[in-house]
Every structure is written in C-alpha cells, then in structure tokens.
Amino acid sequence: MLEEKNDNLHNADGENKQELSQETTEIQPIIEQEVVEVKDEAQQNAEEVSPEKATSNAAMDEIDNSNAEESEDDTVKDRHEIPVLDYDTMSMEALTEELEKLVSNEKVMAIKDHVEEIRKAFMSHFHDLLEEKREEYSEQNDGNSEGFEYHSTIKNKFDTIFDEYRSKKSKHYNQLQSNLKNNFEVRNTIIEDLKTLIDSTDESIGDMFKKMNEIRERWNNAGSIPRDKYNILWNNYHFHVERFYDLIHLDKEARDQDFKNNLEQKQQLIVRAKDLLAEPDVMKAFRELQQLHRVWKEEVGPVDRDHREAVWNEFSEITKQMHDKREALNANAHLRELEHYEAKLKIVENINALLSEEVNGHKGWQNQMKKMEALRETFFKAGKVPADLNEETWAKFKTAVRNFNKNKNDFYKEIKHDQQDNLNKKLALVEKAKSLKDSDDFKATTPIMKQIQEEWKKIGHVPRKHSDAVWKDFKSACNAYFDRLHKIQNEENKEEVEAYENKKTLLDEIKSLELVGDHKKDLDAIKENISKWKSFGRVPFNKRHIEGKFNKILDALFEKLSLSKKDTELMKFDNRLEHLAENDDNRALEKESYFLRKKIDEVQSEILQLENNIQFITTSSKKGENPFIKEVHKSIDKHKEDLKLWKEKLSRLNQI
C-alpha cells in the first residue's frame, strides 16, 4: 500500500514534486507518532480484557470467568427471570410438578440451578420417607428389615422427568461443544483472512477499511470457542488487528473516527452499567453486566489514548460496586442461613426432649408421634443452612429422629407379645361365633352371642397386619346370626301387634265386668278372662304398659271378692310370673327370686328375734298374765303366715 502511495506521489506534476517531498518529510514525525499511539492503544485494549489484568480484581475475575460459557448460551441473551422458590419446604408432589413445569417450558441452561435445588430437596424428602417405611417394615417383622422394598409412584414420575432434563442437558452440551469447535474454526479462518488482507499489495485504503469492517463484524458474530483456546486466539486476532492499524497509520482521520465511534459505544455501555446499579434484582443486574463486559471485550474496539484509561477505570469502578452489592447480598443470605441453622438446632433439641418424656400406653405414643411429625415438618420448612453446616445439621436431625423411632419401636416390641395373646383370644371368639351363627335356638344362643361381643370389646389391640382380617371374620359371623334373628323377630312382631289389639279390646271388656255376688261364679269369670288374656301372647316391647293396666283392673276385682289375702296374693303373683315368663325376661325373674329369698330371710330373722324376746320375758313374769306377751305371740303367728306365703311364691317361681 505504501508503494502504491509513493507511486502516486511520483506521478504528480513536476511543479509539485518539491512540495510533495516537503510534505512527506513533514508527515514522517506524525507517522512515527501515530505508530506509537496505535501500538499503545492495542496494548491498552489488551490490558483491559486480558486474564492477567482481570485476575487482579475479584469483581472482574467473576465477570470474565462466566462470559466464555454464557455468551454461547442463548438463554443469556433472551433470559427471563425464573422465580426462586423455597424448595426445601415443598412436598415431593409439589417439587415434581415444579420440575415438570420447568423442563417443559424453560431452556435447559436457564433452569440448571433450579433443577439441582429441586433434586436435592426431593431426594432429602424421599430418603426420609424411605427410612420411615423401612422402620415400619422392621417393626412389623420383629426388627428384621431384610427383603424391604418400597415403590413410590411419585418417585418414578420424578425420575422420568429428571431423565428427560438430563437428556436435554446432554444434547445441549453436545451441541455446545460442536458449536464451540465450529466457532474456533471460523475464528481461525477470520484471522487468516485478516492476515491475507494485511499482506495484500493491490488494495486501496478504502477497500481495506471496508474489508476490515466486514472481518470485524464476522468476528463479533462468530460465537464462543473452547475456554482453553480463548486467550490465545483472542490475542492472536488483536495482534493482527494491531498490524493492520500499523499498516494504515497514514489515514489518521479514519482512525480518529473509529476511536470516536468506539468511545461512544463504550460510554453507552457505561451508562447502562450505571443503570444496573439501581436494579433491585442484584443477580439479574450482575448477569447483564457480564454481557456488557463481553461486548466491551469482543465487539467494541479501542479508543484514543486521552480517553482509554478514564473510560476503563469508570467501567471497572461500576463493576466493583456491582461486585460489592453482590457480596452484600450473599452476606445477608448467609446470615439468614445461619438463622435457619440455629432454628434447626433448636428443633433437634426439642426432638431430643421428647426422648426424656415419660410415655404410657399406645395413646401416649400416638401423641408423641404427632409431636414428632410436627417438629419434622417444621425442620423441613426452616429453610436452607450454610453449605458447610448442612451435613452436620442433617446428621444431628437424623440421629435424633432415629433415637425417637428406636424408643417407639422398643415400646411396641414390648407390647407385641400382649397383642399376640389378644389375637389368639379374638381368634377363639371368631371360631365360637362361627359355630353359633347358624343356630336356630335363638333363645339360648342370643345371650351367648351378646356375651361374645362384650368379651371382644374388652380384649386389647392385636398386631396391625391381622387386625382388619380378624375383625372382618368376627363381624361377618355376628352379622350372619343377628340378621337371621332380626328377620324372625320382624315376623314375630306382626303377631305381637295383633296380640296388642286383642288385649286392648279385652281390657275394655274387663273394665265393664260386673260381679254377680256369687263367689265361685265371679272367681271363675275372672280366671276365664286371665286365661283369655294369656292366650293372646306377647305384645310389642313399647306396648307392654298394657300389662300394668290389666293388673290394676285385676287388683280391683280381687278386692271385691271375699278371697283370703293369701289366695289373692298368689293369684296376682301367678299372673305376674306368667307375664315375665312369656316375655323371656330372665333378668326380671332373677330379680324376683332374689327379692323373695331376701324377704324369707328377713321374716325368719324377725320370728327368731320375737321368740328370743318371749323366752326372756317369760322368765320374769307369770305365763299368760302379761298382755305384751300376747301381742308378741300374735306377731309371731302373723310372721309365720307371711313366711308360708313367701315360700309358696318362691316355690312357684322355681317351678318356672
């Protein structure tokens, strides 16, 4: 190009040769100065983005380390914020639903952190559930957990969705590696084209600038390359860019315009970076700042010496402020995690406190288990703890839970022997109920079946795995018997209703019965009505008050007859006994027997006491002269008559 420039100068008019020669001489210091400026600018631009410069600043280091990977990921360019949920407090069903939503609707690299947190929370819950199921299995099998298996539908669904995510992630990374390799080849080709442009001798400055802009545009759009080749390739490219500007240093006006454009672009980046400092979502702002750094390094060229240090320092200061905000956010998050850590330790203490409480019986342990479940739920909802304390916290929690479960299992092992005895007793009752369920002797069998049911209620718990089966067998046998009984009773009820109507009619007739004054005829008439009343049979239970009305009418009729007290009492007693016998009222008969025996004992005791009194009095007075003795003898005779009546009643009761 320089040869072409000089040829054009020599071909000018002769009168201008001396002027041009002088101009060339004057331009030479400018050329030397421009070469120095271009070299300094290239060096400064390299320093702005080089790893050596970046690693000296913690904030810049974080920015640079993420750009190489994220610039290739299209989720960065078109990223929308995915809400961060408290996954530790969510159930396995909710976690599975959230994972399915993310995998179905979001790009794989945008959700990788979310998926990992979801997976950790889900597996934590599942391992806890698995251990509980294993302990239940062990409890049911005398402490032996060999052969334990647990299949969870929600776990299978979660695994299927997670496998889909891993497949998408693997496909994405394979495509990413392929793209990085292709981009590396494309960038090498661009560098070769740049070298060819520099070494060409037949291009005008205008054409060279045009091609250089095309090369720069291709370079900016070429995409990311493998990280281990990033610095070498980038420095190689900028080395040849420096060569290009060294070559065309004579075109200072074009160079200045390029500097000006680059300065404006970098100032725009600075303005946007300042705006990010006001963004309330610090992590969102940090990610966008990473992209601004990528644009600064890869898409915007150098600026003139007067501005390069100032703009870079301003941009670096903003980066440092963003870094400080991010560190403060992380510090606050760490403080919250420490609070969660203290809360979880307190929960562990409360679980350990349950171990020292005295527990009596199954009901007491059920209450303890409810307390334990509440503490367990609180633990999982307490939030994250610092990563370096997570394993310690989890170990303490699991140890406390394991100790609680051991005490619980020890208790149930102790009562397991009693439960086995209870099972044997209930099985015996089941067999007895089955042997009676087809009996037709309802009068004899019904009390036995009721007694069996009462005994069943008094027997305690049986092993859980037998509870439903033994109850089903017992209930089936009892229902079979009582269903048959109720069917027959329903048929008998029709007869009882008819008997009630007949007795009601007869009762009205007896109310109007008039005695003729003939003792024998009147007594026969009363006995005939009694026999007729008995022939009707039993009445419904809720209608038995009619028997009382009948007895009152009989009492009135007997009073009109000149019967002895004994005959009257015995007739009324016989009627009462027959009524109780017809109704199968065994309990009432037993009470009546107890009452009669008691009255007999009382009358005998009274007679004995009176006779003793007689003997004492006769020793101190003449026989027959003491009126008190006569009264005592009368009382003794009356008691003896009463005694005969009570014994007669008991005799008739025993016959029934």
Side-chain angles (χ1 to χ4, degrees), residues 194-340:
L194 178 57
K195 290 164 63 176
T196 301
L197 176 63
I198 295 171
D199 295 337
S200 65
T201 59
D202 58 350
E203 296 281 351
S204 67
I205 293 178
D207 290 339
M208 292 184 71
F209 261 110
K210 181 178 180 180
K211 290 184 178 181
M212 182 61 193
N213 288 334
E214 292 175 355
I215 288 174
R216 179 183 294 170
E217 183 69 21
R218 287 165 58 198
W219 179 268
N220 291 339
N221 297 328
S224 295
I225 62 174
R227 184 176 296 183
D228 59 336
K229 297 178 173 58
Y230 181 82
N231 287 330
I232 296 175
L233 193 68
W234 193 89
N235 288 333
N236 190 15
Y237 169 73
H238 281 279
F239 170 75
H240 291 291
V241 170
E242 181 181 338
R243 286 184 59 210
F244 174 80
Y245 283 116
D246 282 347
L247 185 64
I248 62 170
H249 65 276
L250 288 176
D251 196 345
K252 187 174 185 300
E253 182 178 351
R255 178 61 172 162
D256 289 343
Q257 184 62 41
D258 194 35
F259 281 160
K260 181 180 179 181
N261 292 337
N262 294 339
L263 177 61
E264 291 176 354
Q265 293 181 54
K266 289 191 174 183
Q267 287 173 337
Q268 291 175 359
L269 294 177
I270 290 173
V271 171
R272 179 54 188 159
K274 288 180 178 179
D275 292 340
L276 291 178
L277 292 176
E279 168 63 44
D281 189 338
V282 177
M283 296 307 299
K284 177 181 178 182
F286 178 78
R287 285 190 290 269
E288 186 173 344
L289 182 61
Q290 291 177 337
Q291 295 312 301
L292 297 183
H293 269 265
R294 185 185 65 81
V295 173
W296 185 289
K297 290 171 56 177
E298 299 179 8
E299 299 182 13
V300 182
V303 300
D304 63 85
R305 181 185 299 175
D306 294 339
H307 296 91
R308 66 184 59 146
E309 184 174 356
V311 294
W312 174 247
N313 288 340
E314 186 174 5
F315 192 55
S316 297
E317 177 60 26
I318 295 172
T319 301
K320 182 178 181 303
Q321 294 179 38
M322 181 64 72
H323 173 76
D324 292 341
K325 291 186 65 175
R326 184 166 178 261
E327 286 297 309
L329 178 66
N330 291 337
N332 291 335
H334 184 69
L335 289 177
R336 288 195 300 272
E337 289 177 353
L338 286 176
E339 292 175 356
H340 299 161

Side-chain angles (χ1 to χ4, degrees), residues 330-346 382-389 393:
N330 291 337
N332 291 335
H334 184 69
L335 289 177
R336 288 195 300 272
E337 289 177 353
L338 286 176
E339 292 175 356
H340 299 161
Y341 170 72
E342 295 296 333
K344 288 192 172 184
L345 288 184
K346 183 63 177 178
K384 293 182 180 179
V385 301
D388 57 332
L389 297 174
T393 310

Side-chain angles (χ1 to χ4, degrees), residues 144-183:
N144 182 15
S145 60
E146 184 177 353
F148 167 75
E149 291 183 2
Y150 179 69
H151 301 284
S152 170
T153 303
I154 193 65
K155 177 65 163 58
N156 293 337
K157 182 178 180 181
F158 182 89
D159 289 343
T160 300
I161 300 171
F162 189 75
D163 288 343
E164 180 184 352
Y165 162 75
R166 290 198 300 181
S167 177
K168 287 185 176 181
K169 184 179 177 182
S170 177
K171 182 179 179 181
H172 171 81
Y173 274 121
N174 290 337
Q175 183 63 43
L176 179 60
Q177 292 299 321
S178 176
N179 291 344
L180 292 175
K181 183 178 179 181
N182 292 336
N183 294 341

